[in-house]
CSV table of all heavy atoms in Angstrom, one decimal:
chain,number,residue,atom,x,y,z
A,14,ALA,N,-11.1,8.7,9.8
A,14,ALA,CA,-11.3,9.8,10.7
A,14,ALA,C,-12.7,10.4,10.5
A,14,ALA,O,-13.4,10.8,11.4
A,14,ALA,CB,-10.3,10.9,10.5
A,16,LEU,N,-15.4,8.7,9.7
A,16,LEU,CA,-16.4,7.9,10.3
A,16,LEU,C,-16.3,7.7,11.8
A,16,LEU,O,-17.1,7.1,12.4
A,16,LEU,CB,-16.2,6.5,9.6
A,16,LEU,CG,-16.4,6.4,8.1
A,16,LEU,CD1,-16.2,5.1,7.6
A,16,LEU,CD2,-17.9,6.9,7.7
A,24,ASN,N,-2.3,18.8,18.3
A,24,ASN,CA,-1.4,18.5,19.3
A,24,ASN,C,-1.6,17.1,19.9
A,24,ASN,O,-1.3,16.9,21.1
A,24,ASN,CB,-1.4,19.6,20.4
A,24,ASN,CG,-2.8,19.9,20.9
A,24,ASN,OD1,-3.8,19.6,20.2
A,24,ASN,ND2,-2.9,20.3,22.1
A,27,ARG,N,-7.1,13.8,22.2
A,27,ARG,CA,-8.3,13.1,21.7
A,27,ARG,C,-9.5,14.1,21.7
A,27,ARG,O,-9.9,14.5,22.8
A,27,ARG,CB,-8.6,11.9,22.6
A,27,ARG,CG,-9.7,11.0,22.0
A,27,ARG,CD,-9.7,9.7,22.9
A,27,ARG,NE,-10.7,8.7,22.4
A,27,ARG,CZ,-11.9,8.5,23.0
A,27,ARG,NH1,-12.1,9.1,24.2
A,27,ARG,NH2,-12.7,7.6,22.6
A,33,VAL,N,-20.1,13.1,13.6
A,33,VAL,CA,-20.4,11.7,13.8
A,33,VAL,C,-20.9,11.5,15.2
A,33,VAL,O,-20.3,12.1,16.2
A,33,VAL,CB,-19.2,10.8,13.5
A,33,VAL,CG1,-19.5,9.4,13.8
A,33,VAL,CG2,-18.7,11.0,12.1
A,41,LYS,N,-27.7,2.8,23.1
A,41,LYS,CA,-28.1,2.1,22.0
A,41,LYS,C,-29.1,0.9,22.4
A,41,LYS,O,-30.0,0.7,21.7
A,41,LYS,CB,-26.9,1.5,21.2
A,41,LYS,CG,-27.3,1.0,19.8
A,41,LYS,CD,-26.1,0.7,19.0
A,41,LYS,CE,-26.5,0.2,17.6
A,41,LYS,NZ,-25.3,0.0,16.7
A,49,PHE,N,-37.9,-1.7,19.2
A,49,PHE,CA,-38.4,-3.0,18.9
A,49,PHE,C,-39.7,-3.3,19.6
A,49,PHE,O,-40.6,-3.9,19.0
A,49,PHE,CB,-37.4,-4.1,19.5
A,49,PHE,CG,-37.7,-5.5,19.3
A,49,PHE,CD1,-37.4,-6.1,18.0
A,49,PHE,CD2,-38.4,-6.2,20.2
A,49,PHE,CE1,-37.8,-7.4,17.8
A,49,PHE,CE2,-38.8,-7.5,20.0
A,49,PHE,CZ,-38.5,-8.1,18.8
A,64,GLY,N,-54.2,-16.9,10.5
A,64,GLY,CA,-54.2,-18.4,10.6
A,64,GLY,C,-55.3,-19.0,11.5
A,64,GLY,O,-55.1,-20.1,12.0
A,70,ASN,N,-61.2,-19.4,15.9
A,70,ASN,CA,-60.4,-19.7,17.0
A,70,ASN,C,-58.9,-19.7,16.6
A,70,ASN,O,-58.6,-20.1,15.5
A,70,ASN,CB,-60.8,-21.1,17.6
A,70,ASN,CG,-62.2,-21.1,18.0
A,70,ASN,OD1,-62.6,-20.2,18.7
A,70,ASN,ND2,-62.9,-22.2,17.7
A,83,SER,N,-44.4,-10.1,14.6
A,83,SER,CA,-44.1,-9.1,15.6
A,83,SER,C,-42.6,-8.8,15.7
A,83,SER,O,-42.1,-7.7,15.7
A,83,SER,CB,-44.7,-9.4,17.0
A,83,SER,OG,-46.1,-9.5,17.0
A,106,ARG,N,-26.3,17.9,19.5
A,106,ARG,CA,-25.0,18.2,20.0
A,106,ARG,C,-24.4,19.4,19.3
A,106,ARG,O,-23.8,20.2,19.9
A,106,ARG,CB,-24.1,17.0,19.9
A,106,ARG,CG,-22.8,17.1,20.5
A,106,ARG,CD,-22.0,15.9,20.5
A,106,ARG,NE,-21.7,15.4,19.1
A,106,ARG,CZ,-21.1,14.3,18.8
A,106,ARG,NH1,-20.6,13.5,19.7
A,106,ARG,NH2,-20.9,14.0,17.5
A,145,GLN,N,-19.5,29.1,33.6
A,145,GLN,CA,-20.8,29.2,33.0
A,145,GLN,C,-21.4,27.9,32.6
A,145,GLN,O,-22.6,27.6,32.8
A,145,GLN,CB,-20.7,30.1,31.8
A,145,GLN,CG,-22.1,30.3,31.1
A,145,GLN,CD,-22.0,31.4,30.0
A,145,GLN,OE1,-21.0,32.0,29.8
A,145,GLN,NE2,-23.1,31.5,29.2
A,148,LYS,N,-17.0,22.1,33.7
A,148,LYS,CA,-15.8,21.7,33.1
A,148,LYS,C,-16.0,20.7,32.0
A,148,LYS,O,-15.1,20.4,31.2
A,148,LYS,CB,-14.9,21.1,34.2
A,148,LYS,CG,-15.5,19.9,34.9
A,148,LYS,CD,-14.5,19.4,36.0
A,148,LYS,CE,-15.0,18.1,36.7
A,148,LYS,NZ,-14.1,17.6,37.7
A,151,TYR,N,-18.7,21.1,26.0
A,151,TYR,CA,-17.9,21.0,24.8
A,151,TYR,C,-16.9,22.1,24.5
A,151,TYR,O,-15.8,21.9,24.2
A,151,TYR,CB,-18.9,20.9,23.6
A,151,TYR,CG,-19.8,19.7,23.6
A,151,TYR,CD1,-21.2,19.9,23.5
A,151,TYR,CD2,-19.3,18.4,23.8
A,151,TYR,CE1,-22.1,18.8,23.6
A,151,TYR,CE2,-20.2,17.3,23.9
A,151,TYR,CZ,-21.6,17.6,23.8
A,151,TYR,OH,-22.4,16.5,23.8
A,166,ASN,N,3.4,25.6,20.6
A,166,ASN,CA,3.8,26.4,19.5
A,166,ASN,C,3.1,26.1,18.2
A,166,ASN,O,3.6,26.2,17.1
A,166,ASN,CB,5.3,26.3,19.2
A,166,ASN,CG,6.1,26.8,20.4
A,166,ASN,OD1,5.8,27.8,21.0
A,166,ASN,ND2,7.2,26.1,20.8
A,170,GLU,N,-4.5,30.0,14.7
A,170,GLU,CA,-5.4,29.9,13.5
A,170,GLU,C,-5.6,28.5,13.0
A,170,GLU,O,-6.7,28.1,12.5
A,170,GLU,CB,-5.0,30.9,12.4
A,170,GLU,CG,-3.7,30.6,11.8
A,170,GLU,CD,-2.5,31.3,12.5
A,170,GLU,OE1,-2.7,31.6,13.7
A,170,GLU,OE2,-1.5,31.5,11.9
A,177,GLY,N,-13.1,24.1,13.5
A,177,GLY,CA,-14.2,24.4,12.6
A,177,GLY,C,-14.6,23.2,11.7
A,177,GLY,O,-15.8,22.9,11.5
A,191,VAL,N,-12.3,33.3,8.6
A,191,VAL,CA,-12.1,34.8,8.7
A,191,VAL,C,-11.0,35.1,9.7
A,191,VAL,O,-10.2,36.0,9.5
A,191,VAL,CB,-13.4,35.5,9.1
A,191,VAL,CG1,-13.2,37.0,9.3
A,191,VAL,CG2,-14.5,35.2,7.9
A,210,HIS,N,-20.3,37.3,16.4
A,210,HIS,CA,-21.2,37.0,17.5
A,210,HIS,C,-22.6,37.6,17.2
A,210,HIS,O,-23.6,36.9,17.5
A,210,HIS,CB,-20.7,37.6,18.8
A,210,HIS,CG,-21.7,37.5,19.9
A,210,HIS,ND1,-22.5,38.6,20.3
A,210,HIS,CD2,-22.0,36.6,20.8
A,210,HIS,CE1,-23.2,38.3,21.3
A,210,HIS,NE2,-23.0,37.0,21.6
A,258,ASN,N,-61.5,-8.7,9.3
A,258,ASN,CA,-61.1,-8.4,7.9
A,258,ASN,C,-59.7,-8.1,7.7
A,258,ASN,O,-59.1,-8.3,6.6
A,258,ASN,CB,-62.0,-7.3,7.3
A,258,ASN,CG,-63.5,-7.7,7.3
A,258,ASN,OD1,-63.8,-8.8,6.9
A,258,ASN,ND2,-64.4,-6.8,7.7
A,276,VAL,N,-45.2,5.4,6.6
A,276,VAL,CA,-43.8,5.5,6.8
A,276,VAL,C,-43.1,6.4,5.8
A,276,VAL,O,-42.3,7.3,6.2
A,276,VAL,CB,-43.2,4.1,6.8
A,276,VAL,CG1,-41.6,4.2,6.9
A,276,VAL,CG2,-43.7,3.2,7.9
A,279,TYR,N,-44.0,10.0,6.6
A,279,TYR,CA,-43.2,10.5,7.8
A,279,TYR,C,-41.9,11.0,7.4
A,279,TYR,O,-41.5,12.1,7.8
A,279,TYR,CB,-43.1,9.4,8.9
A,279,TYR,CG,-42.2,9.7,10.0
A,279,TYR,CD1,-42.6,10.6,11.0
A,279,TYR,CD2,-40.9,9.3,10.0
A,279,TYR,CE1,-41.8,10.9,12.1
A,279,TYR,CE2,-40.0,9.6,11.1
A,279,TYR,CZ,-40.5,10.5,12.1
A,279,TYR,OH,-39.7,10.8,13.1
Side-chain angles (χ1 to χ4, degrees):
L16 299 175
N24 52 332
R27 189 168 181 256
V33 178
K41 190 169 186 177
F49 181 84
N70 299 319
S83 296
R106 184 176 63 182
Q145 183 173 350
K148 63 180 181 179
Y151 300 127
N166 297 320
E170 62 269 27
V191 174
H210 170 262
N258 294 319
V276 172
Y279 173 79

